[in-house]
Amino acid sequence: MWMLLTLVYALIKGAREICKKKALEKNSLIEVLLIYTFISFLICIPQAPDAMGLTVRQYIWVAVKAFVIFVAWIAGFKAIKFLPISMYGILDLSRVLFASFLGITILGETISLNKGIGLILVSVGLLFLKFNPFRKKEAVEVKQEVCVTAEGEKAKVPFTQTMTWFVFLAFLSCVLNAVSGLLDKILMKEMNSSQLQFWYTFFMACYYGIYALVTRAKISSSVWKNIWIWLLAIGLIVMDKALFIANGIPESQITVMTLIKQSSVVVAIIAGKFIFHEKDILHKIVCALIIIAGIVAGVM
């Protein structure tokens, strides 16, 4: 059951990537993040009667988990905006490895031969999905960033001078997502899924509300008419509910769940072919088959 619930999470996660891309075509990043987390909280309100009764310590830990994801999403979006996709993909691979490392070192999970083979295959599939060694190299325009000089004047500097910062943001996003997965497993040992989901979405909506106020972000009325934001919110609630319940099952293991989560790549590849008409689909299908083989090996 916990494997099936994790698979549901992964498939919805892949579908949400389509919704994100479509939502951001109509509204800014902060508009999408603020409104869809707010809608998500509204959807969770019926769970309020079952969400009460946490201790102060538990409220604090849920707030910490929400803050971890709040930072991870901002860092990840900023990094992928500037870094080459191939480089970001390689860095994103560390999420799989780090989540497995946390499961082994903190939760005491063991890596069997099947899990080890599965982890290797998934890692190889993800690596070659983002980095195609057979693709012809194309000329890349050198980006420039606007920076403020010591004299207070704005000046453009080569993008390579700021590359290290965005690499750090990408790695930070991967690490924080892995930490969030670990917190899910720990928190679900002492609370129910309604408690975690209700307060998690509440704190997320608060964090993005504060962020929007601090940055003085403009929220247009058109954001409420963006159907993709509503789909993002519904998807978030369903996928998180499935994941929280899966984490609450004592037999569930982070190392295996991490492998199953990579099923979202298959949805992204299908969407790339039939919705966004992307190229190199055959290469991506081969990578997906490698990832699927790794998942099957890991769960056997």
Side-chain angles (χ1 to χ4, degrees):
M1 178 59 69
W2 61 269
M3 290 184 185
L4 179 60
L5 289 170
T6 306
L7 180 61
V8 170
Y9 168 89
L11 296 179
I12 296 178
K13 180 177 182 294
R16 286 181 74 250
E17 297 304 320
I18 304 171
C19 295
K20 286 179 184 178
K21 191 174 184 67
K22 289 292 187 179
L24 290 171
E25 289 177 356
K26 299 182 178 181
N27 295 98
S28 67
L29 172 61
I30 185 57
E31 284 180 316
V32 172
L33 288 174
L34 173 63
I35 300 304
Y36 108 74
T37 51
F38 177 71
I39 294 174
S40 299
F41 172 67
L42 293 181
I43 296 174
C44 286
I45 288 181
Q47 300 184 60
D50 298 324
M52 303 302 155
L54 296 181
T55 64
V56 174
R57 180 186 65 83
Q58 290 172 329
Y59 283 120
I60 292 175
W61 276 112
V62 175
V64 169
K65 177 219 163 25
F67 187 77
V68 165
I69 289 297
F70 162 75
V71 177
W73 285 357
I74 293 178
F77 272 104
K78 287 187 176 181
I80 201 171
K81 180 179 180 181
F82 293 101
L83 288 178
I85 292 297
S86 59
M87 178 180 292
Y88 185 84
I90 295 172
L91 292 170
D92 190 59
L93 179 60
S94 63
R95 182 188 306 187
V96 181
L97 303 177
F98 194 73
S100 299
F101 174 77
L102 289 176
I104 295 169
T105 57
I106 297 182
L107 299 180
E109 297 180 2
T110 58
I111 289 290
S112 62
L113 178 60
N114 283 353
K115 289 181 185 177
I117 294 174
L119 181 59
I120 292 173
L121 287 175
V122 169
S123 300
V124 170
L126 288 173
L127 180 63
F128 282 99
L129 176 64
K130 300 298 183 178
F131 177 71
N132 185 353
F134 304 106
R135 182 183 302 156
K136 293 181 180 180
K137 294 183 179 180
E138 300 176 353
V140 178
E141 181 181 355
V142 177
K143 296 181 181 179
Q144 292 184 328
E145 288 300 309
V146 177
C147 298
V148 180
T149 64
E151 292 76 17
E153 299 178 352
K154 292 185 177 180
K156 289 187 176 181
V157 298
F159 175 68
T160 52
Q161 294 184 21
T162 58
M163 180 71 74
T164 302
W165 170 244
F166 294 117
V167 169
F168 169 76
L169 288 179
F171 183 73
L172 176 64
S173 175
C174 296
V175 171
L176 291 178
N177 273 286
V179 171
S180 175
L182 174 67
L183 289 174
D184 287 343
K185 182 64 177 176
I186 295 174
L187 292 174
M188 281 304 300
K189 291 181 179 180
E190 53 186 59
M191 63 181 69
N192 61 52
S193 59
S194 295
Q195 290 173 322
L196 180 54
Q197 189 166 46
F198 178 84
W199 292 109
Y200 162 67
T201 54
F202 169 76
F203 287 121
M204 286 289 288
C206 290
Y207 291 148
Y208 282 115
I210 295 172
Y211 182 78
L213 290 174
V214 172
T215 59
R216 298 180 180 179
K218 295 183 179 180
I219 310 299
S220 64
S221 58
S222 65
V223 70
W224 297 102
K225 301 177 182 179
N226 191 337
I227 185 62
W228 299 104
I229 292 179
W230 290 86
L231 292 176
L232 274 173
I234 296 172
L236 177 68
I237 297 304
V238 176
M239 63 184 274
D240 277 354
K241 190 71 171 181
L243 186 64
F244 294 158
I245 294 175
N247 275 294
I249 298 175
E251 294 79 13
S252 62
Q253 300 179 29
I254 285 183
T255 49
V256 177
M257 294 173 71
T258 300
L259 295 178
I260 298 175
K261 288 178 182 179
Q262 307 317 309
S263 302
S264 60
V265 174
V266 178
V267 179
I269 291 174
I270 295 174
K273 170 62 177 177
F274 295 102
I275 298 179
F276 300 108
H277 307 292
E278 295 179 353
K279 299 179 180 179
D280 296 326
I281 293 299
L282 180 59
H283 162 73
K284 294 177 181 178
I285 291 175
V286 173
C287 294
L289 292 176
I290 297 175
I291 293 170
I292 292 173
I295 294 172
V296 172
V299 301
M300 289 180 62

